[in-house]
Amino acid sequence: ALSSAASDVYKRQVQAEVQKVSDALGDTGRILVRPSGTEPLIRVMVEAPTDEICGKYVAQVVEMIEKKGLAE
């Protein structure tokens, strides 16, 4: 398990990654990352002009979340 301090650092890094995606999408889409209210999951939702762009940004954020040990 992560210490509280490490978890906070990792969460900030994930938030920074989400902000990068949001900035890249600009007015053409949006991103939402939140814990599920009913399952032990983190939901990553992206709206983008194409499926390809959407998939790219979802994968980018999910990879960061997994790399930081916040999800499996």
Side-chain angles (χ1 to χ4, degrees):
L2 293 172
S3 71
S4 179
S7 179
D8 288 345
V9 168
Y10 292 158
K11 286 178 186 175
R12 282 194 299 278
Q13 290 172 335
V14 170
Q15 288 169 343
E17 193 68 27
V18 169
Q19 186 61 53
K20 278 199 267 186
V21 169
S22 181
D23 292 346
L25 287 168
D27 292 336
T28 66
R30 64 184 178 150
I31 181 169
L32 175 65
V33 178
R34 67 173 185 81
S36 171
T38 58
E39 300 175 272
L41 303 171
I42 298 173
R43 300 198 184 277
V44 179
M45 296 166 276
V46 174
E47 292 178 3
T50 68
D51 288 346
E52 183 180 311
I53 293 170
C54 183
K56 170 187 163 187
Y57 288 134
V58 167
Q60 183 176 322
V61 172
V62 168
E63 182 181 323
M64 173 64 79
I65 290 168
E66 290 174 342
K67 187 166 85 172
K68 297 304 177 185
L70 300 173
E72 295 179 0

